Amino acid sequence: MRIAATSGGRPARHVPALVGVFFYPVAFILLPLAAFLAYSFFWTEHGVMSYGITLGNYQRFFTDPIFLPVLWRTCILCLEVSFLTVFAGYPVAYFLAGLSGRKRYILLMLMLVPLLMSYVIKIYAIRSILGGNGVLNRSLLWLGLIDEPLTFFVFNLNAVLLTLTVLLIPFAVLPIFLSLERIPRSLIDASADLGASAAQTFLRVILPLSLPGVVSALTFVFVLAIGDFLTPQMVGGQSGFTFGRIIYSQFGSAFNWPFGAALSVILAIVVIGAIAIGTVFGRDRSVVK
């Protein structure tokens, strides 16, 4: 591709604009990632950082019996969150896409209102419902269904699973809604004209064409969940330890930035892999079988 030049042979005026466009991604995305990668090859000794090159941080991750199982358990947890949000969000997106006129966008905006609220406030709200003295336990005790407060959803991985699912449902609804909205109405009408029932139309027309949105929702929620350290910190307790909390502790109380950077690089590789898989399986299918 040639860059247009002026009559005097000078570069076109849009070249500085192109430089400005690439400056921000490089400065605020690529350079921080490169800094993390560089830090991951350093090490600390007695709280003092040494800038020599070593692979000890990565060796520690693969040889220590703690970190790899926690990463695997966190990935499984985030996959569960992803599928739960899609199962809960698909009917909502389908209902919204079936509305006509302004109603669909008004209801969509109302559904997205919780995203404007503070993340911490929403977590505290869920804790007030599921906690030992929360609304749920008090209601069950008052009804006589239980003799003592339930601890199934308090300070464990179950609490992290439920809280992340509730918080991330809007992020699953939106891509599914956009995918459903793009399905031509003529295809649905043609399916009905050919004698297909509503269930057959959904299974053979609507669902296959909405799969790119489903895959996007799964990927989006997985990436958001696996990088979350605040939710496990507030509702996970000691048994709800996730990989994000380990990274957070390395930059905090442990003050081991090189090892935290190495763990961040490993997490970034997992995220990139998830996005790549989502890209492969989420390609738009324009032909209905």
Side-chain angles (χ1 to χ4, degrees), residues 60-61 64-72 243 246 250 259 263:
R60 179 184 175 187
F61 168 78
D64 196 293
I66 295 177
F67 302 110
L68 195 57
V70 172
L71 176 60
W72 174 252
F243 199 68
I246 293 180
Q250 296 303 315
F259 187 57
L263 297 181

Side-chain angles (χ1 to χ4, degrees), residues 208-262:
L209 292 179
S210 65
L211 285 181
V214 172
V215 175
S216 297
L218 289 171
T219 306
F220 197 15
V221 172
F222 178 84
V223 171
L224 291 175
I226 200 170
D228 193 322
F229 68 91
L230 184 59
T231 301
Q233 185 81 13
M234 296 183 65
V235 302
Q238 292 298 323
S239 61
F241 216 74
T242 61
F243 199 68
R245 289 182 65 182
I246 293 180
I247 296 176
Y248 171 77
S249 66
Q250 296 303 315
F251 287 100
S253 57
F255 199 70
N256 192 344
W257 285 28
F259 187 57

Side-chain angles (χ1 to χ4, degrees), residues 31 42 57 78 90 94 101 112 122 152 155 161 170 178 201 251:
L31 288 182
F42 303 150
N57 294 317
C78 295
Y90 195 100
Y94 185 79
L112 297 179
K122 290 187 288 187
F152 187 71
F155 299 120
L161 173 66
L178 295 175
T201 300
F251 287 100

Side-chain angles (χ1 to χ4, degrees), residues 35-273:
F36 269 99
L37 181 61
Y39 265 98
S40 68
F41 295 106
F42 303 150
W43 78 91
T44 58
E45 187 175 359
H46 304 296
V48 180
M49 186 179 301
S50 299
Y51 294 94
I53 304 300
T54 180
L55 295 175
N57 294 317
Y58 294 98
Q59 182 181 2
R60 179 184 175 187
F61 168 78
F62 287 105
T63 57
D64 196 293
I66 295 177
F67 302 110
L68 195 57
V70 172
L71 176 60
W72 174 252
R73 187 177 63 186
T74 303
C75 290
I76 297 299
L77 173 70
C78 295
L79 282 174
E80 293 174 349
V81 171
S82 300
F83 282 101
L84 286 175
T85 54
V86 168
F87 286 140
Y90 195 100
V92 177
Y94 185 79
F95 171 76
L96 292 174
L99 298 176
S100 59
R102 296 181 178 179
K103 291 186 295 184
R104 67 164 64 177
Y105 299 108
I106 293 175
L107 291 178
L108 180 64
M109 291 301 298
L110 290 176
M111 187 207 65
L112 297 179
V113 165
L115 299 180
L116 303 177
M117 298 172 58
S118 170
Y119 198 76
V120 177
I121 292 177
K122 290 187 288 187
I123 294 176
Y124 273 116
I126 296 174
R127 283 182 57 175
S128 68
I129 296 174
L130 302 178
N133 293 321
V135 176
L136 178 61
N137 275 316
R138 289 184 178 182
S139 299
L140 294 177
L141 287 171
W142 182 77
L143 294 173
L145 298 178
I146 58 175
D147 298 326
E148 58 183 13
L150 298 175
T151 59
F152 187 71
F153 289 119
V154 181
F155 299 120
N156 50 40
L157 281 179
N158 295 322
V160 178
L161 173 66
L162 183 60
T163 304
L164 284 175
T165 300
V166 172
L167 294 176
L168 297 179
I169 282 179
F171 294 101
V173 171
L174 190 57
I176 297 174
F177 169 79
L178 295 175
S179 183
L180 289 170
E181 192 181 35
R182 292 176 54 193
I183 299 177
R185 182 67 191 180
S186 59
L187 292 178
I188 300 175
D189 294 337
S191 177
D193 293 339
L194 292 173
S197 63
Q200 290 174 327
T201 300
F202 175 78
L203 293 176
R204 297 186 179 183
V205 179
I206 298 176
L207 183 59
L209 292 179
S210 65
L211 285 181
V214 172
V215 175
S216 297
L218 289 171
T219 306
F220 197 15
V221 172
F222 178 84
V223 171
L224 291 175
I226 200 170
D228 193 322
F229 68 91
L230 184 59
T231 301
Q233 185 81 13
M234 296 183 65
V235 302
Q238 292 298 323
S239 61
F241 216 74
T242 61
F243 199 68
R245 289 182 65 182
I246 293 180
I247 296 176
Y248 171 77
S249 66
Q250 296 303 315
F251 287 100
S253 57
F255 199 70
N256 192 344
W257 285 28
F259 187 57
L263 297 181
S264 299
V265 171
I266 293 171
L267 184 62
I269 293 174
V270 173
V271 169
I272 293 172

Side-chain angles (χ1 to χ4, degrees), residues 23-41:
F23 171 78
Y24 291 103
V26 171
F28 296 105
I29 298 178
L30 294 182
L31 288 182
L33 290 176
F36 269 99
L37 181 61
Y39 265 98
S40 68
F41 295 106

